[in-house]
Amino acid sequence: MQVIFQPMGVACAADGGESILALAERAGVAIERVCGGRGTCGKCLVRVSGEVSEVTEAERHFLSPQALADGYRLACQARALADLEIVVPDVSRVAEVSILTGGVANDLTLDPWVSRHTLSVPPATLDDPVADWEAVRRLWEQEGLGALRPTLRAMRELPAALRANGGQITLLQVDDEVVRVEPGERVDPLLGIAYDIGTTTVVGYLMDLETGQELSVASELNPQTRYGDDVVSRIQHADEHPQGIETLQRAIVETLGRILIDTTAQIQVQPDDVLAITVVGNTTMQHLLLGISPTYLAQSPYVPAVTRAVNLKAAEIGLEAHPDAHVWVMPSIAGWVGGDTVGLLLATGIYEQDEVALAIDIGTNGEMALGSRQRLITCSAAAGPAFEGAHISCGMRAAQGAIDTVEIDHKVHWTAIGGGMPRGICGSGLVDVIGELLRVGVIDPRGKLVEPGVVETAGYPALAAQIEGENRHRSFAVVSPDEGAEGRPVLLTQRDIRELQLAKGAIRSGIEILMRELGVGADDVRRVYLAGAFGNYVRPESAVAIGMVPHFRRAEMLAVGNAAGSGAKMALLSRTARARAIELLVQVEYLELSGRPDFQEQFAEAMLF
Ligand code: FES
């Protein structure tokens, strides 16, 4: 059997019985799969010509009878039974994501864990037939460099290097281990790479360890999105498939390898030249990188297998850097407050400030920390994927064609990423549009889209005309079909508003409970750091307007970009920062929200606008 995917024109052979999603994966065709192929997101829409399996319950839930009659199916549900032609519509194609690679630059004293030592070793003679390493050791000790610990690979390199340049060699040392020996005096920069493994995107920053300069950056979509967009679907994938953990680990390690090749090629050096590596990610991403089962992270009491920093060699996880390059994985605080939050704390320096600050990274989970040098508390609020555009009818990630800002006077004004006609709405656009509709009274404080008549009477006839349907089925057309890509409108439905209420309610409850625990009010908070892509793009006024964050009247609001990545860079450039990250595990308190008796009540209140 043969299956052809259009409009890519990619063909793939099929045995029959495989899902279209599995075939697409084999053919290298990227289809949206927010739920990881479980039939619960409805995002993997395709149009099929040819014989496929019976329509499933999940398809009946997401597709109208008309859509089914037109040949639309969910790729994860429909199985190929004969030759097929499959059209992947624009909405289901994985778009290029605009990835945030900027971040805060924190003042830092360079103190890298890679160093170089050039030595001129006198040759052995018949009178003094000293072994090569012993000759090196003599000089090493004379120079007060401490204990000399070469790796086996370095031992192999020494004899030839020693004789290639009249006894002059350069030893490259990572922490207390000599990992490389080169003939002559090496002047090339010492290199390290800091990785930030996000649930959606992975970024690598190649750094000059002696100057602290960022030499190149590369990023890719996290390939594990293939197995589910969110952390929970990936944990389920790891659990439910015999080789699940290995598959997820291999996928991420290969991506780190490609990023390494890309960043080193940009400055014309070899991946082998990179000797120090740091990694940050949420606890699940870090577990999967290490090939450790994340199963128990998803089960109460949500404990990780490891929280301490992990030191290993690149070869141990199959990463194609220098095999003896040291990889340092950031410590995590708890199952849902990971190394990325430790990176955020390092980058903002909130742990050493006198005044109270809030640092918050909003994604599928809102990880947050509140406090100062006296006391610092963290928690994680399960916001769900609404801020990333999932479970929202016209939601999408912050990619080409996503509406990212909205303003309303008597009409709706929007901007879309990359210009052009909008295809959907991303998290920051969603927060904006709901904030603005609340302000003009199209949405009431309980979150209900009001009747068009009421909006018209309030003096907004154009907005009233954009409201359609009744009660639970009411929606607001942010973009009309004439303005939208492929003649499709961008709608905000009553259900979308409820999804956003759940998400923002979770974040707000987390903040309120942290404030209560610390015994401070909104006016005591002097700085608010908003991290991550969403934090960078969302307008603070809109976040306040929808009540996602309290009105911090005396606080400075700072978008800090990819703070987790900045933390990874700091740990790469400074042994002190690395040690600080480890100490933070002792200093920082963790609060498990689901264990708080006041959480439900707080959450119900925080859902209101
Ligand atoms: S419904 Fe098919 S991937 Fe989610």
Side-chain angles (χ1 to χ4, degrees):
M1 280 164 45
Q2 213 197 29
V3 176
I4 298 185
F5 290 92
Q6 301 291 13
M8 307 84 185
V10 178
C12 127
D15 298 333
E18 269 178 291
S19 76
I20 292 172
L21 196 61
L23 292 168
E25 187 182 332
R26 195 129 57 75
V29 172
I31 295 180
E32 283 284 4
R33 50 172 83 213
V34 173
C35 67
R38 318 175 76 78
T40 56
C41 71
K43 297 281 182 192
C44 58
L45 189 71
V46 290
R47 199 157 100 212
V48 179
S49 319
E51 200 188 334
V52 280
S53 55
E54 296 275 294
V55 174
T56 66
E57 263 316 296
E59 292 178 295
R60 261 187 261 281
H61 176 76
F62 287 106
L63 304 175
S64 66
Q66 185 57 52
L68 288 168
D70 290 344
Y72 282 100
R73 301 292 299 266
L74 295 181
C76 66
Q77 301 292 302
R79 296 176 186 281
L81 299 179
D83 286 355
L84 297 179
E85 186 178 54
I86 294 162
V87 177
V88 184
D90 244 14
V91 279
S92 332
R93 256 176 263 158
V94 175
E96 284 279 299
V97 172
S98 55
I99 295 170
L100 193 67
T101 52
V104 278
N106 207 323
D107 290 343
L108 188 76
T109 310
L110 291 175
D111 169 25
W113 18 298
V114 180
S115 54
R116 74 172 104 215
H117 306 280
T118 302
L119 301 176
S120 290
V121 186
T125 60
L126 284 175
D127 290 336
D128 182 19
V130 60
D132 292 346
W133 268 111
E134 294 318 307
V136 172
R137 195 181 306 278
R138 283 182 194 165
L139 282 178
W140 189 267
E141 284 170 2
Q142 265 169 29
E143 301 207 2
L145 293 170
L148 177 66
R149 285 187 48 219
T151 59
L152 177 58
R153 216 173 304 268
M155 284 186 207
R156 288 177 183 150
E157 287 168 349
L158 178 67
L162 203 54
R163 288 160 183 86
N165 206 43
Q168 191 185 46
I169 49 169
T170 302
L171 307 181
L172 298 177
Q173 190 183 9
V174 187
D175 284 322
D176 61 348
E177 190 176 58
V178 171
V179 301
R180 192 153 157 174
V181 182
E182 292 182 5
E185 183 179 4
R186 181 194 157 108
V187 287
D188 301 341
L190 299 180
L191 300 173
I193 188 163
Y195 287 112
D196 171 23
I197 306 181
T199 312
T200 312
T201 54
V202 185
V203 188
Y205 307 88
L206 187 68
M207 309 293 292
D208 182 324
L209 300 175
E210 290 162 300
T211 63
Q213 207 194 339
E214 183 182 298
L215 300 172
S216 56
V217 184
S219 49
E220 280 195 21
L221 207 59
N222 187 330
Q224 297 171 343
T225 41
R226 211 179 292 148
Y227 309 102
D229 255 15
D230 57 54
V231 165
V232 173
S233 336
R234 288 190 217 162
I235 296 177
Q236 278 162 346
H237 183 91
D239 284 351
E240 289 166 7
H241 296 78
Q243 300 295 317
I245 298 174
E246 288 82 351
T247 310
L248 291 163
Q249 186 195 24
R250 204 176 321 117
I252 190 62
V253 170
E254 283 171 7
T255 298
L256 299 187
R258 278 195 302 277
I259 289 178
L260 183 63
I261 291 172
D262 187 346
T263 47
T264 48
Q266 287 179 44
I267 60 156
Q268 285 151 10
V269 295
Q270 300 301 317
D272 219 28
D273 292 324
V274 174
L275 297 179
I277 298 166
T278 52
V279 183
V280 297
N282 61 48
T283 314
T284 305
M285 293 305 113
Q286 295 192 174
H287 273 52
L288 289 175
L289 172 72
L290 297 171
I292 299 174
S293 166
T295 304
Y296 305 105
L297 294 172
Q299 296 174 12
S300 178
Y302 315 108
V303 291
V306 234
T307 45
R308 288 175 187 239
V310 176
N311 281 298
L312 45 91
K313 299 271 183 91
E316 283 181 78
I317 50 167
L319 179 60
E320 294 198 18
H322 188 288
D324 289 323
H326 286 202
V327 180
W328 188 81
V329 183
M330 189 76 89
S332 308
I333 294 169
W336 295 88
V337 179
D340 46 359
T341 308
V342 178
L344 169 67
L345 298 179
L346 270 187
T348 54
I350 170 172
Y351 58 86
E352 55 186 6
Q353 296 176 10
D354 290 322
E355 293 176 321
V356 176
L358 171 72
I360 177 162
D361 188 349
I362 300 162
T364 314
N365 276 294
E367 291 104 10
M368 52 192 100
L370 179 77
S372 63
R373 70 158 82 221
Q374 273 80 33
R375 190 176 174 206
L376 190 57
I377 317 178
T378 60
C379 74
S380 169
F387 293 129
E388 288 171 349
H391 296 189
I392 298 296
S393 55
C394 291
M396 60 184 287
R397 296 192 195 114
Q400 170 83 21
I403 294 181
D404 60 342
T405 71
V406 177
E407 277 179 50
I408 295 179
D409 42 33
H410 283 262
K411 280 170 56 190
V412 179
H413 307 275
W414 46 262
T415 59
I417 298 176
M421 293 177 123
R423 294 172 45 212
I425 190 158
C426 68
S428 61
L430 189 67
V431 171
D432 261 4
V433 73
I434 293 181
E436 288 289 85
L437 290 175
L438 270 165
R439 188 176 55 75
V440 296
V442 173
I443 296 176
D444 74 13
R446 301 197 134 280
K448 201 167 159 247
L449 274 168
V450 304
E451 286 180 23
V454 178
V455 176
E456 186 151 9
T457 319
Y460 296 102
L463 299 181
Q466 286 169 257
I467 303 171
E468 291 161 20
E470 284 305 318
N471 299 321
R472 281 196 302 129
H473 301 292
R474 201 166 270 160
S475 63
F476 179 85
V478 183
V479 169
S480 68
D482 310 340
E483 298 173 301
E486 293 168 11
R488 289 154 46 98
V490 176
L491 298 179
L492 175 76
T493 65
Q494 186 62 67
R495 240 184 77 191
D496 298 339
I497 300 171
R498 291 284 174 244
E499 285 288 338
L500 181 105
Q501 284 181 285
L502 291 170
K504 75 104 183 174
I507 302 284
R508 178 66 180 262
S509 315
I511 299 175
E512 292 291 337
I513 290 177
L514 283 186
M515 290 200 300
R516 193 172 305 156
E517 186 64 28
L518 200 67
V520 299
D523 284 354
D524 296 314
V525 177
R526 295 304 168 85
R527 229 162 272 120
V528 177
Y529 299 99
L530 293 169
F534 178 72
N536 221 41
Y537 299 128
V538 73
R539 286 193 300 166
E541 329 62 283
S542 300
V544 173
I546 65 159
M548 184 171 89
V549 296
H551 188 196
F552 293 113
R553 287 181 311 160
R554 301 175 66 195
E556 199 185 348
M557 295 274 223
L558 300 156
V560 291
N562 184 4
S566 301
K569 288 188 213 170
M570 292 170 70
L572 185 68
L573 297 173
S574 154
R575 278 188 274 207
T576 317
R578 206 174 49 164
R580 198 71 195 94
I582 295 170
E583 286 160 20
L584 277 172
L585 284 198
V586 182
Q587 181 185 350
V588 174
E589 294 170 42
Y590 170 67
L591 194 84
E592 173 57 50
L593 288 181
S594 60
R596 291 279 302 206
D598 51 351
F599 180 74
Q600 278 315 328
E601 197 187 321
Q602 184 66 58
F603 182 56
E605 193 183 314
M607 271 185 53
L608 301 177
F609 285 118

